[in-house]
Amino acid sequence: MASRFNPLKADAAWQKAWEENRTFAARDDSPKPKSYVLEMFPYPSGRIHMGHVRNYTMGDVLARFRRMKGMEVLHPMGWDAFGMPAENAAMEKKVHPGAWTRQNIATMKAQLKRLGFALDWTREIATCEPDYYGQEQSLFLDLYEAGLVYRKESAVNWDPVDMTVLANEQVIDGRGWRSGALVERRKLNQWFLKITDFADDLLEGLQGLEHWPDKVKLMQENWIGKSEGLQFTWSLSNGEGLTVYTTRPDTIFGASFVAIAADHPIAQQLAAGNPEVQAFIERCKQGGTTAAELETQEKLGWNTGLTAQHPFDANWQVPVYIANFVLMDYGTGAVFGVPAHDQRDFEFATKYALPIRRVVSEGDKTAAEFDGSEAYTGPGTLVNSHFLDGLDVAEAKREVIRRAEEGNWGTGSTVWRLRDWGVSRQRYWGTPIPIIHCEDCGPVGVPKDQLPVTLPEDVSFDVPGNPLDRHATWKHVDCPKCGKPARRETDTLDTFVDSSWYFLRFASQPSDQPFDKAVAEQWLPVGQYIGGVEHAILHLLYARFFTRALRHIGRIDVAEPFAGLFTQGMVTHASYYQLEEHDGLERKLYFEPTQVSFRADGSAYLTDTGAEVTVGRVEKMSKSKKNTVDPTEIVDQYGADATRWFVLSDSPPERDLEWSESGIEGAWRFVNRLWRLFDGLENAEGEDKDLDRKLHRTIAGVAEDIEALTFNKAVAKLYELTAAIEKAKPSASRTAAIRALVRIVAPMVPHIAEEAWAALGETGMIADAAWPEVDPALLIDDEVTIAVQVNGKLRDTLVMPKGAAKDIVEAAALASDKIVRSLEGKAPRKIIVVPDRLVNIVA
RNA sequence: GCCCCUGUGGCGAAAUGGUAGACGCAUUCGACUCAAAAUCGAACGCCGAGAGGCAUGCUGGUUCGAGUCCGGCCAGGGGCACCA
């Protein structure tokens, strides 16, 4: 045996051996129990960063561990390859998005391979390849056929200078990121998937997800947002009816105005003959489409002069406003305002001097005159509300709904916060939507024998906008139904569609269909899905929906795609930037951590030029903020095992981790300590009971920690075991412990484990070896340390035989000198004994 | 603005409501060495000579006992439907 471990040599040798033996290729026909371990596939942004290393190492340890436990493991990898950054690169660097993306994939694949992940590369997928997105187009057509796809108008961020649609990320402080123009909301006809058809099912389904974090289920529940409400119609002074939705029908007597969206038909009607209304409506369209922006912008209203008649009082009229905070997309595009009990309405009423009338009591406050400085949204009893007085909020809601239905002017209905999923993107680098628009036939699906609809290669990104739309020939096709000249849909699909079924394609990838039902069902659902917590809502909800939709059309008998979910914390890092002025507007120009140096006072400058840079927030590593850290240097210097061990150590995986390299030296030291143990293996005689116990407790504990993905605890246990072995005198126990240690550390540091396995003369590869057996008899202690407290404060500890009777423990505690001293002669009033743990004497 | 999460030594952290700080990093001292590296041993929350006291963001509560449960704050992070 060589006396020093050479990670660079060992890494390369074993990675080659695994590849040549196809060690990690999952067999569909294996008789072993199957396990599907999946990490969220990466966007090929350029190079991998520490967040990727953390994510994929966690999944890898679990995959390798389950193999050792005798399972057939599917652990695949692919690329979420469509997306905006490729088009940005095309604009900035004059490269084709496809070329840029494929180059990034090649780079990142090599980086992943360098870390020795137990991945089945035979199933690799890139969503930007026609054999993937063509199958996606076929699924889209199936969903269209089933009525789960439809078209409607919806708002986008419009840059009036570049004449293009902007993503939310491209809107900075209300302006287009390139043009600097004030962004406005504009309506486009777009494709939608009917996720709301499954709202109830998606909500109910959360109940059964036992192996999902509670916080994710809670976030999804809130996102879906089921609430019971009332839809009813106000009679307007112009004789028309105005239908509103409310989740607070109980506050009906607190109404002081009705507000409609700027694009509500009634508002449009008023604008037709009134330039002032028209101007106001234009003003409402300013700004982007995000909820954060809409909810924090200044509340604007326009009194239409119309009034609405209160449903319970023919003599009570409230004014009708057009307001910028009412959205046509939600409910009916009209609401009634109750200033005393809704903060937004409160601000609006304060601004426009509308009455604020209390109808829900707050403690002993019951006067109709509202005296608060903000709306009261808590529980209470109804007041100033005629027949509702004295009821609580829930009772009052039911009563109003009952009367509305009885009087035939409204209906109780379930309201969902969840909206249908808009999947149209006015961009090139995505899956073409397989639809042809015909003047006579309307939208017609591309016949399946003409799939895939591939992206044209000859496109330019010299001007803003969608290259598909201005391509000379691509969109001109004949209608598949009537044969007349027609127009191909030039929008592409949201990349979240690509990531909503990739786990099915990993399980089965025939060339003639998206996946084989029977084969996919052998692997699904994914046993353990691991990815960043930032995907807690959108990606995970879309994937859950898409799987249900596929079940609905009979493609698969699985409702929930991910049985187990683990959301890892993000790897964060400070960002560095300079403020740059451009056409009178300030913007941030970001720099990579490697470009920056620091002075003693913490201030930062560019290493090359000495120019000052601002140290920004500590936030998740992302390409756009350039605050990523590339693992290459670390892997080159310390090897894959030390790098893997390092990212598993210390920080609990669900918690965010601010990146720091301090500690990598410790990981490297540990790898070398292991090697010294493996290298110095002696064949000694004799038993070491304490070491046997330590070993078996570690085998059991590490197994538990790996399944629970609490790797930091597994690492701590392995440090303890290693220290114990190092200190132990030679014995048969010690020899056995070292041989077992090779296997226990194998999932985490597989290269050194293979090297040691071979050197110790074991047969085959450790990747195929079994996890060591635990002797349950060795898990039990015969002695325990019992804490003795007086009034809850620790005063002494006792070593007692395990399972000692309560009275014996109590007597021993009272006999202790320290306890006698602490009691100062006071008589115990009460003694609490927790078996094998503690005694608390209350005096 | 709304939803979710996090907060413990110099740092990363551990702790079924039951001995707060396991394990690692850094630091200091010692051994080995001509020397250095590597390695090994020891110390290491704060105050105090000691006995002991004080400590888990702040604050109030429940409990024999709270880092852990509940209420109110503060700070940081994530998501908010076109970043992925």
Side-chain angles (χ1 to χ4, degrees), chain A residues 786 788 798 800 804-816 819 828 830-833 839-841:
Chain A
I786 293 174
V788 185
L798 301 170
M800 302 284 289
K806 275 193 176 189
D807 49 347
I808 294 172
V809 176
E810 192 178 314
L814 290 169
S816 150
I819 299 307
K830 188 176 176 184
I831 299 177
I832 288 130
V833 181
V839 180
N840 186 16
I841 300 163

Side-chain angles (χ1 to χ4, degrees), chain A residues 518-540:
Chain A
V519 175
E521 281 170 3
Q522 284 185 39
W523 292 108
L524 269 286
V526 173
Q528 185 64 58
Y529 195 38
I530 307 174
V533 65
E534 68 271 26
H535 294 292
I537 297 176
L538 290 180
H539 161 60
L540 288 165

Side-chain angles (χ1 to χ4, degrees), chain A residues 654-674:
Chain A
E654 73 280 2
R655 199 179 293 184
D656 289 350
L657 173 65
E658 187 176 343
W659 178 254
S660 144
E661 274 188 33
S662 71
I664 181 69
E665 290 282 350
W668 170 239
R669 274 202 289 272
F670 180 70
V671 169
N672 286 298
R673 277 168 74 191
L674 284 178

Side-chain angles (χ1 to χ4, degrees), chain A residues 446-468:
Chain A
V446 173
K448 283 203 178 171
D449 58 11
Q450 293 173 28
L451 295 182
V453 175
T454 54
L455 290 167
E457 286 291 314
D458 54 330
V459 285
S460 79
F461 293 88
D462 300 341
V463 289
N466 182 357
L468 293 179

